[in-house]
Amino acid sequence: MRLSTRVGLAVGVTVPFLVLASGWLLLRLVERDLHSAEDQHLRTRAAAMKPDARARRHARR
């Protein structure tokens, strides 16, 4: 087998693998970032509602 054929096969196998691996890594990083942002948003909303929830709880007593 010629050297150019071996190099071509190696590149043909390696490049798609690297593209898939980097795409998977990118998706995982974006997913983690989105979850973190959503968690922070929910914490902010919960903190804003906390005084009102306490006032309603004390009003029922």
Side-chain angles (χ1 to χ4, degrees):
M1 189 180 302
R2 292 176 38 195
L3 179 61
S4 61
T5 304
R6 286 186 282 187
V7 170
L9 286 174
V11 169
V13 170
T14 304
V15 170
F17 174 75
L18 290 175
V19 169
L20 288 174
S22 62
W24 178 81
L25 179 63
L26 180 65
L27 285 174
R28 298 295 295 169
L29 292 173
V30 169
E31 178 185 24
R32 187 174 3 163
D33 186 49
L34 288 174
H35 280 265
S36 177
E38 185 64 23
D39 286 346
Q40 183 60 37
H41 177 69
L42 290 173
R43 283 189 193 100
T44 302
R45 290 185 64 187
M49 294 179 66
K50 193 173 185 179
D52 188 41
R54 284 187 175 166
R56 288 177 188 256
R57 186 178 69 189
H58 290 300
R60 282 197 259 169
R61 290 183 181 184

